[in-house]
Amino acid sequence: MNGNDILVIVPAYNEEKALPATLDELSRLNPQPKVLVVNDGSADRTSEVARSAGVTVIDLPANMGIGVAMQTGYRYAVQNGFALSVQCDGDGQHRPEQIGVLLKKMGETGADMVIGSRFVESGGDGFQSFFLRRQVIRFLSVWIWALTGVRVYDVTSGFRLCNGRATAIFARDYPFDYPEPEAIVLLGRYGLRVGETAVSMRERQGGVSSIGFFPGIYYVVKVSIGLLVTRLRSNV
Amino acid sequence: MTLMLRFVAGLFAAGFLLMIFELVRRRRLKENYSLTWFFVGGCVMAFALFGDQMDALSHFLGFAQTSNAILVFSVFLILVLLLGLSVAVSRLSGLVQTMAQEIGILKNQLEEERNRSGRLRG
């Protein structure tokens, strides 16, 4: 696979601290993919930090949410003819050197999208919340399977590789509310194949998880309904 | 309905319809949204003009008072109007998202074109 065919999309919102390390790791990859930072209306120096690293930067005029930022990247990929696109978050959780693992899995299985999955999560925020989060993800995983027949375990992982078909679909139809799990349902609805492979991830370098205890229950209900709606929508 | 009530309702409806007309004329309200509001004003006007028939209709539907019937109809109508506004807002936010994405991509293209021509000159 030629590195010129791969676009790595890094959605970034107020990531001036964690971004340089991620971009540095991306620049060490061989073959070298094209890196695009989509700055989602950050209030800090995210855009400057990315520019000084020498990567392509798209600044959205306001904070639009990660779904809009990611779709901007997919649109860019389609408009510039990239064969493959990778989502790699700028918060340091995802390890750029593991993009190769995703590529290998896609090569082996011919899946349209491959998700990098953390089957083993390192703790750090206490057993209780760790356990609960796993249950939430497990439930959503079963729900997605029931809705689409697609079995993915780490449904909230944002570390994913898309081929041209999946990228083209995302460029015109991408979910905005809970993009990671909904994107799986969306591809299932279009009849595309979703694969999954184990990768190692780091603790996020900044920010906190959005899943707490009571917000967790609220989150599950909202996301479950969102997924159902995504399943019932028509293709565009 | 009393004659006084019908008079007040008719006056209100006339004022309301005039207001919508003015908003459209000054381009502060789009024609496609104005149609719904003309319909609302028309309904109030109909209550005023056909008070006896309204009494008969609300009695037929089992309302003890005509005013109750009007109130219930109004609430339903307002719910539908609010839903229509949510639909309009959803459509607009979708448009804004697309615009923001395209602006971002275009700004990037412009920047790269400038850098390229700058290098050529330098």
Side-chain angles (χ1 to χ4, degrees), chain A residues 35-204:
Chain A
V35 178
L36 170 69
V37 170
V38 183
N39 168 32
D40 187 17
S42 298
D44 66 1
R45 298 183 65 254
T46 296
S47 179
E48 288 86 338
V49 162
R51 277 161 205 277
S52 68
V55 300
T56 303
V57 181
I58 288 181
D59 292 304
L60 293 181
N63 179 225
M64 313 287 293
I66 187 169
V68 176
M70 272 316 296
Q71 195 184 36
T72 308
Y74 290 125
R75 279 172 183 255
Y76 184 93
V78 168
Q79 289 176 16
N80 294 281
F82 286 92
L84 300 167
S85 59
V86 179
Q87 174 180 355
C88 181
D89 289 351
D91 63 1
Q93 267 198 94
H94 303 155
R95 297 169 178 270
E97 77 268 14
Q98 306 233 307
I99 290 172
V101 179
L102 302 181
L103 286 166
K104 187 163 167 279
K105 184 76 178 179
M106 184 173 274
E108 284 167 6
T109 60
D112 296 292
M113 176 167 85
V114 174
I115 296 173
S117 190
R118 32 182 179 169
F119 286 115
V120 195
E121 222 177 322
S122 59
D125 50 336
F127 174 73
Q128 182 76 354
S129 119
F130 160 76
F131 176 78
L132 268 166
R133 197 193 306 175
R134 285 305 294 264
Q135 299 315 307
V136 165
I137 291 173
R138 183 170 296 172
F139 173 80
L140 291 177
S141 166
V142 172
W143 182 225
I144 287 174
W145 172 72
L147 285 173
T148 60
V150 175
R151 192 68 166 121
V152 170
Y153 292 92
D154 195 355
V155 295
T156 58
S157 164
F159 190 47
R160 25 185 84 176
L161 164 71
C162 293
N163 69 5
R165 278 179 78 196
T167 304
I169 287 173
F170 285 157
R172 61 174 198 273
D173 190 2
Y174 195 72
F176 301 112
D177 297 329
Y178 310 99
E180 279 86 13
E182 280 185 39
I184 301 169
V185 174
L186 194 126
L187 286 192
R189 198 183 74 205
Y190 278 95
L192 269 64
R193 288 176 51 213
V194 181
E196 187 175 32
T197 185
V199 295
S200 64
M201 285 193 195
R202 284 180 291 244
E203 276 295 292
R204 60 183 74 217

Side-chain angles (χ1 to χ4, degrees), chain B residues 11-21 36-38 40-42 44:
Chain B
L11 209 64
F12 173 80
F16 189 70
L17 287 169
L18 201 70
M19 206 164 84
I20 299 162
F21 186 78
T36 351
W37 291 110
F38 274 122
V40 174
V44 179

Side-chain angles (χ1 to χ4, degrees), chain B residues 24-87:
Chain B
V24 176
R25 206 179 59 83
R26 292 182 189 171
R27 295 174 218 282
R28 284 176 56 191
L29 179 65
K30 286 215 161 208
E31 291 95 314
N32 51 345
Y33 292 116
S34 74
L35 289 178
T36 351
W37 291 110
F38 274 122
F39 175 72
V40 174
C43 284
V44 179
M45 188 58 99
F47 294 152
L49 294 178
F50 307 106
D52 297 337
Q53 286 85 340
M54 263 314 287
D55 286 335
L57 181 69
S58 65
H59 182 74
F60 173 73
L61 291 174
F63 287 99
Q65 297 277 327
T66 311
S67 54
N68 289 351
I70 292 175
L71 207 66
V72 168
F73 291 148
S74 311
V75 169
F76 285 160
L77 193 64
I78 287 167
L79 285 179
V80 173
L81 286 173
L82 282 177
L83 189 64
L85 287 178
S86 293
V87 170

